[in-house]
Amino acid sequence: MSDDPALMHGHAIAAAVRDRRTSATAAVTAALARIARVDGTVNAFTDVVAERALARAGSIDAAIARGEPQGPLAGVPFAVKNLIDVAGLPTRAGSKINRARPPAARDGATLRRMEAAGAILVGALNMGEYAYDFTGENVHDGATRNPHDLGHMSGGSSGGSGGAVGAGLVPIALGSDTNGSIRVPSAFCGCFGLKPTYGRLTRAGSFPFVGSLDHLGPMARSVTDLALAYDAMQGPDPEDAATTARAPEPATPGLDDGIADLRIAVAGGYFATGGDPEAFAAVAAIAGALKVTRRVEIPEAARARAAAYLITAAEGAALHLDRLRTRADDFDPAVRDRLIAGAMIPAPWVGGAQRFRRWYRAAVAELFADVDVILAPSTPCRAPTSGQTHFVLDGVTLPVRANIGVFTQPISFIGLPVVAVPVRVDDGLPLGVQVIAAPWREGSALRVARHLEREGIVSAPAADL
């Protein structure tokens, strides 16, 4: 770990703040200084709320001085994808159109829950327009650059979240994942990410993309920070009808319980073809470290990806029809064209995709009767170069934007929980492996990730910037 206090893990900051070995003000000041020094290169932030952050830090320090107990994230700087409401800022959702909206009247629910646990918001983060993106390249705010090689993509659509964590600007960031938008930038930027079970975390106070597929979740440089943030955000919320009524099931208490009781397998078939050898080598490296030899096949994964595409395009288009009619020229042309195409999908196709989703969910549930965790690649390759439009996978030339999520879409299609772990199989850019669990079993996936981290098999150091 660097001597720079901005590069401490969140749980270490919180412990030092609670024990008065440092202060929340010092932690926030260090983060703001690093953002000022580094973000001009990475372009992760669209808004920095320094005055708010320092005021919040001061109130935490005063409470500690009075002897008042503080939460598990006391004094920890964090940032949010700019589709989550921040009081006083217009919720951009990566768009030109939204920045003309009135400022948000209050913070989004996940932001409020993070601050209730003691975390301190320092800003809002760049993202792909309306979350319809896998590259991290925004035509309005500029591309977020990969902190491990500035000539490469950060991934999207939570590219600012991945870039901010990977660059050591904040120890924790919140992102969203519809088809892979937490897992892709986690892989490209070399950090941990959690896409929880669909409905586990509230989405109230965030700008939607596809209501039946949208998830919010954390990204971090340590599994402990990931679990602490996840636990802080759990709980029912009547403001989001999709949020579960289940009581919170904290993952942090069992994080170091090990993996001896978990049945782990590697996804074969669809998840073992159509990518670069390095992507599969990353999975093999993790499987080898875990001594996993069993392989399973997720049925009809290719069809699940196709159905996810149809539903995404159709639901996304329905959300934006009025904007397409009145302000078409203010969209990113690539996003606009995909939304227009989505508006023209015949309704019977979407109905068929939804019927297939019900079958697919049941089929995968049967698979989880025999396994607890499944390993699969996060992406088919390392981060492409900035501006790259095509790549070659398995000898086939394909569009980058449409195919980065080839391995993530069949998983989020039925809302399974996934922890993305960063892997380096040589000295090149990081790759990612999905640790997939059954619904509501985030704790199992986090335990696997923590075991890998504790054994020194995976880590997420901040880029040397």
Side-chain angles (χ1 to χ4, degrees):
M1 182 66 68
S2 166
D3 292 334
D4 186 343
L7 298 180
M8 292 173 65
H9 290 314
H11 61 277
I13 293 172
V17 168
R18 289 194 301 269
D19 293 346
R20 303 183 74 171
R21 288 177 282 118
T22 189
S23 66
T25 298
V28 166
T29 299
L32 292 172
R34 185 166 175 84
I35 292 166
R37 186 170 68 251
V38 172
D39 192 52
T41 301
V42 178
N43 195 35
F45 280 80
T46 54
D47 306 271
V48 176
V49 292
E51 185 176 346
R52 167 182 168 150
L54 290 167
R56 172 73 174 154
S59 68
I60 289 174
D61 291 335
I64 290 173
R66 294 191 297 268
E68 297 173 8
Q70 296 298 304
L73 294 172
V76 177
F78 79 107
V80 300
K81 188 173 182 175
N82 70 26
L83 56 63
I84 295 173
D85 291 348
V86 176
L89 298 178
T91 304
R92 300 188 191 205
S95 71
K96 177 181 179 181
I97 296 170
N98 275 31
R99 63 196 66 194
R101 300 174 77 202
R106 67 170 181 161
D107 296 332
T110 49
L111 194 167
R112 296 197 308 270
R113 290 179 178 188
M114 287 287 289
E115 290 210 324
I120 300 174
L121 182 78
V122 296
L125 298 163
N126 203 354
M127 60 174 284
E129 185 179 78
Y130 290 125
Y132 209 168
D133 167 63
F134 274 135
T135 68
E137 297 174 327
N138 184 293
V139 300
H140 313 297
D141 295 308
T144 297
R145 300 173 187 89
N146 191 309
H148 298 283
D149 187 326
L150 298 172
H152 288 253
M153 295 176 181
S154 63
S157 64
S158 307
S161 303
V165 172
L169 306 182
V170 286
I172 302 170
L174 304 188
S176 71
D177 191 309
T178 301
N179 285 297
S181 289
I182 286 174
R183 291 160 289 163
V184 167
S186 292
F188 286 177
C189 295
C191 58
F192 297 97
L194 170 61
K195 185 203 77 63
T197 306
Y198 179 80
R200 172 69 90 175
L201 300 184
T202 176
R203 303 165 304 179
S206 66
F207 196 87
F209 175 27
V210 180
S212 71
L213 292 170
D214 289 345
H215 310 66
L216 299 185
M219 301 163 72
R221 292 196 312 278
S222 82
V223 180
T224 299
D225 287 359
L226 202 68
L228 286 169
Y230 165 65
D231 287 352
M233 293 186 287
Q234 286 192 55
D237 187 351
E239 294 186 19
D240 179 5
T243 304
T244 182
R246 295 168 71 104
E249 298 171 90
T252 305
L255 200 57
D256 285 313
D257 284 354
I259 61 170
D261 62 328
L262 296 178
R263 301 165 297 173
I264 306 173
V266 174
Y270 174 89
F271 292 93
T273 60
D276 286 347
E278 294 96 333
F280 305 123
V283 177
I286 295 299
L290 296 173
K291 298 181 173 55
V292 172
T293 58
R294 183 178 179 184
R295 294 177 75 85
V296 296
E297 186 161 344
I298 297 175
E300 297 285 7
R303 188 173 295 177
R305 182 182 177 232
Y309 252 114
L310 279 175
I311 293 168
T312 296
E315 286 193 31
L319 177 69
H320 290 287
L321 276 179
D322 286 345
R323 281 175 282 271
L324 289 167
R325 291 187 181 109
T326 60
R327 298 192 61 176
D329 290 343
D330 290 329
F331 280 85
D332 174 344
V335 173
R336 178 195 62 212
D337 293 350
R338 280 177 288 150
L339 290 172
I340 291 172
M344 294 187 288
I345 294 173
W349 292 14
V350 180
Q354 295 287 19
R355 288 191 297 274
F356 169 76
R357 176 150 59 166
R358 290 192 291 272
W359 176 90
Y360 180 65
R361 181 179 290 111
V364 175
E366 290 182 12
L367 189 64
F368 275 110
D370 295 321
V371 298
D372 299 302
V373 168
I374 299 173
L375 308 175
S378 292
T379 60
C381 60
R382 302 178 193 272
T385 58
S386 297
Q388 184 176 338
T389 60
H390 289 76
F391 50 17
V392 178
L393 298 177
D394 241 7
V396 180
T397 300
L398 298 165
V400 167
R401 190 185 293 264
N403 289 282
I404 292 175
V406 62
F407 296 132
T408 54
Q409 285 179 285
I411 307 306
S412 45
F413 181 53
I414 51 172
L416 297 176
V418 186
V419 174
V421 299
V423 181
R424 291 178 182 270
V425 292
D426 56 28
D427 292 330
L429 285 164
L431 288 147
V433 170
Q434 297 184 86
V435 181
I436 307 161
W440 317 114
R441 296 292 180 265
E442 288 86 350
S444 296
L446 284 162
R447 281 166 54 197
V448 172
R450 176 63 184 136
H451 172 83
L452 291 166
E453 180 186 47
R454 190 176 60 239
E455 296 299 312
I457 297 158
V458 301
S459 63
D464 185 13
L465 293 168

